[in-house]
Amino acid sequence: MREKPRILNIRTLAKTRLFHIQQLELRFANGVETTYERLLGSPLGAVLVVPVFEDRQVLLVREYAAGMDRYELALPKGRIEEGEGVLEAADREIQEEIGYGSKDLQQITSLTVAPGYLGHSTHVVLATHLYPQRMPGDEPEAIDVIPWPLDNLAELTARADFTEARSIAALYMVRELLDG
């Protein structure tokens, strides 16, 4: 296994409410020194929830995606708040976004996106035995909730408004898990 590069210096380039951009000066084991930049997300990470009914209907949300400047379908997701565990955050997020709680939450895996420069983990949680339960959320407008058959992923992934890689990966993993 390779030796990690030694961090010689870290400098903050910018910091906002959501993001922290750092510049790292690194020395690799072979002596090469270089500069990297990284974007740090929430230190606690986030949850992405796959809410599934007994008939294998999954609940998706349609909400505005500022990064793409369009409305996107995706799974419910959100930041883990201070003092929350992964499963607590997952249950809170689905109550806020889709109006359901879960009697059975199971952490499936953790995913990263662009780990070469983005320091952020998303914890994928399967939510079953759903029951109606709404909590107020922090969204600026009502979120559309769209039921989708888990067994019809090919049609979903062919849609132009379903491109979020974490949601796609999570749905395939959960389908595989449920199929045994």
Side-chain angles (χ1 to χ4, degrees):
M1 186 153 175
R2 289 183 186 235
E3 180 183 334
K4 286 188 344 182
R6 182 169 167 230
I7 298 175
L8 304 174
N9 188 37
I10 299 175
R11 185 172 75 120
T12 295
L13 298 178
K15 195 168 186 177
T16 70
R17 179 178 61 86
L18 295 178
F19 301 109
H20 185 178
I21 302 171
Q22 293 180 329
Q23 181 180 62
L24 289 82
E25 295 174 19
L26 302 171
R27 180 181 300 130
F28 285 81
N30 64 4
V32 173
E33 291 186 13
T34 191
T35 301
Y36 277 52
E37 291 179 1
R38 69 180 175 191
L39 177 63
L40 300 177
S42 169
L44 300 174
V47 292
L48 179 91
V49 188
V50 185
V52 182
F53 287 105
E54 287 73 19
D55 66 357
R56 294 173 62 101
Q57 291 285 316
V58 175
L59 294 179
L60 303 171
V61 295
R62 179 183 289 121
E63 60 185 331
Y64 181 70
M68 300 304 295
D69 188 29
R70 65 180 182 219
Y71 283 85
E72 282 272 324
L73 283 174
L75 289 166
K77 61 193 159 301
R79 187 171 68 182
I80 299 172
E81 302 292 343
E82 192 68 42
E84 276 185 326
V86 169
L87 300 182
E88 292 170 300
D91 202 35
R92 175 184 49 76
E93 284 296 335
I94 59 173
Q95 289 179 43
E96 290 175 359
E97 293 190 8
I98 64 169
Y100 283 88
S102 171
K103 294 179 184 173
D104 189 9
L105 296 159
Q106 177 185 355
Q107 185 173 346
I108 304 299
T109 192
S110 296
L111 301 172
T112 61
V113 177
Y117 63 88
L118 177 57
H120 182 74
S121 290
T122 300
H123 308 285
V124 178
V125 176
L126 171 61
T128 56
H129 300 98
L130 303 174
Y131 60 92
Q133 180 69 41
R134 173 144 321 263
M135 286 179 61
D138 58 0
E139 288 76 15
E141 65 181 355
I143 295 175
D144 295 329
V145 179
I146 311 297
W148 195 273
L150 184 60
D151 297 319
N152 197 356
L153 291 184
E155 184 180 329
L156 181 60
T157 58
R159 291 176 60 116
D161 64 347
F162 186 73
T163 64
E164 209 257 330
R166 296 173 303 170
S167 290
I168 294 168
L171 286 172
Y172 277 101
M173 285 187 279
V174 164
R175 186 178 73 177
E176 183 81 12
L177 178 71
L178 294 177
D179 288 347

